[in-house]
């Protein structure tokens, strides 16, 4: 075997190895593509339905440590987004021979799906002028919308964590005036797909 034959044989082996490697990689890519296609979620139904909106407003008084729940109907719907806004005004200061300042109240605002898998929570106290506000926004991905559609009611939960008392502005704070609760206003806005037969027409 001369030198030229040896070069030809080595070149042939290299080409063969390259062909085999390319075939294996291509086959793996095809298999992965097929697997990914099988695992994909059909979200085409979303393009056939318009996004609708709803609003609910509530006003209530809570005592310290208590909570109130407000449902968002989920049956026959696919929730896309929920925005809950809580506002309150703490009671003004009181003068009883001397001035008693009302200390800030603290609320917690939460939004939760019926099964508790998706939620959002925020807590906070009012400012010195007595005004307080909290906002929770829960936005679902298309995959989550499809997964949790028609899965029952969602809930907006308002909790008055602490209602601070009135404390004297000057002098010793031995005597305080009790603040047991607070009023609040709640606005719930939500976007959804109507899955009922009427909504699909």
């Amino acid at each position: 075997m001369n030198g030229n034959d040896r070069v030809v044989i080595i070149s042939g082996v290299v080409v063969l190895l390259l062909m085999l490697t390319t075939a294996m990689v291509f086959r793996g890519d095809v298999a992965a593509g097929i697997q990914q296609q099988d695992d994909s979620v059909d979200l085409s139904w979303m393009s056939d339905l318009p996004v609708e909106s709803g609003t609910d407003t509530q006003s209530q008084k809570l005592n310290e440590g208590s909570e109130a729940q407000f449902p968002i109907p989920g049956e026959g719907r696919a929730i896309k987004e929920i925005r809950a806004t809580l506002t309150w005004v703490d009671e003004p200061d009181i003068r009883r021979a001397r001035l008693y300042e009302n200390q800030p109240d603290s609320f917690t605002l939460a939004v939760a799906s019926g099964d508790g898998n998706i939620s959002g929570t925020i807590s906070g106290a009012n400012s010195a002028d007595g005004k307080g506000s909290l906002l929770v926004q829960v936005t679902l991905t298309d995959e989550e919308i499809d997964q949790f559609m028609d899965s029952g009611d969602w809930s907006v939960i308002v909790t008055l964590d602490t209602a601070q008392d009135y404390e004297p502005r000057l002098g010793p704070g031995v005597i305080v005036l009790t603040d047991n609760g607070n009023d609040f206003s709640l606005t719930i806005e939500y976007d959804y797909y109507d899955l009922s037969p009427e909504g699909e027409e």
Side-chain angles (χ1 to χ4, degrees), residues 21-44:
T21 302
T22 303
M24 292 177 64
V25 171
F26 179 75
R27 181 179 179 183
D29 290 343
V30 171
I34 294 174
Q35 180 67 29
Q36 184 177 4
Q37 184 176 4
D38 292 341
D39 293 341
S40 64
V41 179
D42 183 10
L43 304 175
S44 59

Side-chain angles (χ1 to χ4, degrees), residues 76-97:
R77 293 175 172 179
I79 298 295
K80 177 179 177 66
E81 184 174 279
I82 297 173
R83 300 170 299 279
T85 304
L86 179 73
T87 59
W88 72 93
V89 178
D90 203 3
E91 296 85 356
D93 299 339
I94 297 177
R95 182 170 292 280
R96 296 286 190 273

Side-chain angles (χ1 to χ4, degrees), residues 14-142:
V14 171
V15 170
L16 179 61
L17 289 174
L18 287 174
M19 291 176 61
L20 290 174
T21 302
T22 303
M24 292 177 64
V25 171
F26 179 75
R27 181 179 179 183
D29 290 343
V30 171
I34 294 174
Q35 180 67 29
Q36 184 177 4
Q37 184 176 4
D38 292 341
D39 293 341
S40 64
V41 179
D42 183 10
L43 304 175
S44 59
W45 62 268
M46 292 184 186
S47 60
D48 299 329
L49 295 176
V51 177
E52 302 190 27
S53 299
T55 303
D56 185 21
T57 57
Q58 300 285 341
S59 295
Q60 192 171 320
K61 181 173 183 176
L62 284 178
N63 291 324
E64 185 176 33
S66 61
E67 70 174 31
Q69 295 193 27
F70 305 94
I72 301 173
E75 184 175 353
R77 293 175 172 179
I79 298 295
K80 177 179 177 66
E81 184 174 279
I82 297 173
R83 300 170 299 279
T85 304
L86 179 73
T87 59
W88 72 93
V89 178
D90 203 3
E91 296 85 356
D93 299 339
I94 297 177
R95 182 170 292 280
R96 296 286 190 273
R98 55 178 174 169
L99 182 64
Y100 286 81
E101 295 181 332
N102 195 3
Q103 304 305 303
D105 292 352
S106 298
F107 280 87
T108 293
L109 176 63
V111 175
S113 60
D115 56 11
N117 282 317
I118 297 181
S119 63
T121 304
I122 188 173
S123 299
N126 55 264
S127 56
D129 63 1
K131 297 180 181 179
S133 64
L134 297 172
L135 169 65
V136 171
Q137 179 171 320
V138 174
T139 304
L140 280 67
T141 65
D142 289 347

